[in-house]
Amino acid sequence: MNNTELETLIRAIVTQKLSGNEAPSPACNGVFPDVGSAVQAAHQAFLRYQQSPLKTRSAIIRALRSELGPQLQHFSDAGATETGMGNAADKYLKNKAALENTPGVEDLTTTALTGDGGMVLFEYSPFGVIGAITPSTNPTETIINNSISMLAAGNSIYFSPHPGAKEVSLELISLIESVAFKCSGIRNLVVTVAEPTFEATQQMMRHENIALLAITGGPAIVSMGMKSGKKVIGAGAGNPPCLVDETADIVKAAQDIVSGAAFDYNLPCIAEKSVIVVDCVADRLVQQMQAFDALLVTPEQAEKLKHVCLVPDGGANKQLVGKSAAALLTAAGIPVPGKAPRLLLAEVAADDPLVTTEQLMPLLPVVRVPDFDAGLQLALKVEHGLHHTAIMHSENVSRLNLAARLLQTSIFVKNGPSYAGIGVGGEGFTTFTIATPTGEGTTSARTFARSRRCVLTNGFSIR
Ligand code: NAD
């Protein structure tokens, strides 16, 4: 069979596969009544997308950046209102970073080996339909970020949004689907179901046409996915400690910590969840943080806050997750000062549940330690081996290196606010899926692609 005949045969097979198994129609763009028809439609879309040139993928990403841009304020407002968590102003910054700073097709770099035996190409190629499970804490940010990364890598996507962020997620998924259709002529590259329940998510995880699971959420859903038998990119919980030693620029450290820990009311999984400070600079740090609008509560007030913010088994009280500092004070029966604080500070002992629990609230525990070594030991303990994020303020390079090496976190921010670690006010690309238990770290298009090896024997080396 010559090359032309082979090509004709392949085209015939692909056409037959596509026309013999037409995708069902959704209720509206990309939103289906049930999981089976949604996954089937995304699978059909993938088969067509696989035949499209790279320029189609680039056109989709470009169009998403321009068409979603004017809608970001709306999605930020809607996300904050529907979930009742975080605030629209910070959500806007997160959505903007996701839209503008998530890499596209250029992330899929090719490497080649050549020699007397010929040539080997290593290329990133798509998985198929990705089942992307998204959290309530960054609902639209994660959908925008995952859509750009996964579509750039040549996949189609079934989104499982959190039921608590259903309306805003479905609206955004529909919009992304229609933009992708306009650029590619392919329907259903991005799909979901009208009722994204936990049952629907579990059904999706078992579906034979889901090639890969990308799970952004808490420990329960990540471990559920890991039992599915499918390949999982798991972006789980964190509890980022922030270590401050006596060599740090204390004014900058104070400003960065308040900005990072107060950002979107401490909802980001990367946000500072505790401060561990060397005793000799602790007073100055706490004083400076107050100058940047943090409120230091008394030990009695800290007990009242703990009583309402944590539940008896030690977890966070979901009713107060992502609420403002003023809302936390009110819930604890503590009067809110005239100028509402951005963040609450509570000086506590090293083993306090506020330190060991991922609260996702603007209530930052501060622990004094005698020296850097003790601080690093405590940071290791409170990070719980999650390998997620840690922050450190110090001018001592050896200590910064030692902490980064021992903590082994996917993100380690030196002398900056935590959000610098996801490309907000710091170098580097943005991601809202930081794959911790499965080890991929800060994800981008290449994370959602398989590395494949293509070999040509004899020749193609011009060295
Ligand atoms: P969550 O675990 O409650 O929900 C996450 C997703 O899992 C949602 O889509 C939800 O519908 C689904 N889910 C949860 N329980 C399920 C079940 N029993 N059956 C089927 N589906 C289920 O998390 P959340 O409160 O929305 O988000 C906060 C958590 O996510 C925090 O722990 C945070 O650290 C983590 N997070 C991690 C990253 C990261 O990149 N590593 C990013 C954002 C959030």
Side-chain angles (χ1 to χ4, degrees), residues 133-136 160 162-163 198 202 216-218 221 235-237 269 358 388 434:
I133 300 175
T134 56
S136 56
S160 259
H162 195 287
F198 285 175
Q202 290 167 17
T216 311
I221 185 64
C269 54
E358 186 201 32
H388 196 297
I434 299 132

Side-chain angles (χ1 to χ4, degrees), residues 382-405:
V382 305
E383 213 278 321
H384 303 306
L386 294 166
H387 301 152
H388 196 297
T389 298
I391 305 100
M392 182 165 162
H393 294 270
S394 172
E395 295 294 326
N396 184 319
V397 175
S398 309
R399 287 180 180 177
L400 286 165
N401 268 353
L402 181 67
R405 193 178 285 258

Side-chain angles (χ1 to χ4, degrees), residues 372 376-377 380 387 400-409:
F372 165 73
L376 181 53
Q377 286 312 313
L380 279 160
H387 301 152
L400 286 165
N401 268 353
L402 181 67
R405 193 178 285 258
L406 293 187
L407 281 155
Q408 290 186 293
T409 46

Side-chain angles (χ1 to χ4, degrees), residues 129-154:
V129 187
I130 299 182
I133 300 175
T134 56
S136 56
T137 47
N138 305 324
T140 53
E141 301 86 325
T142 311
I143 291 172
I144 292 172
N145 171 246
N146 282 183
S147 293
I148 293 175
S149 299
M150 294 171 186
L151 291 172

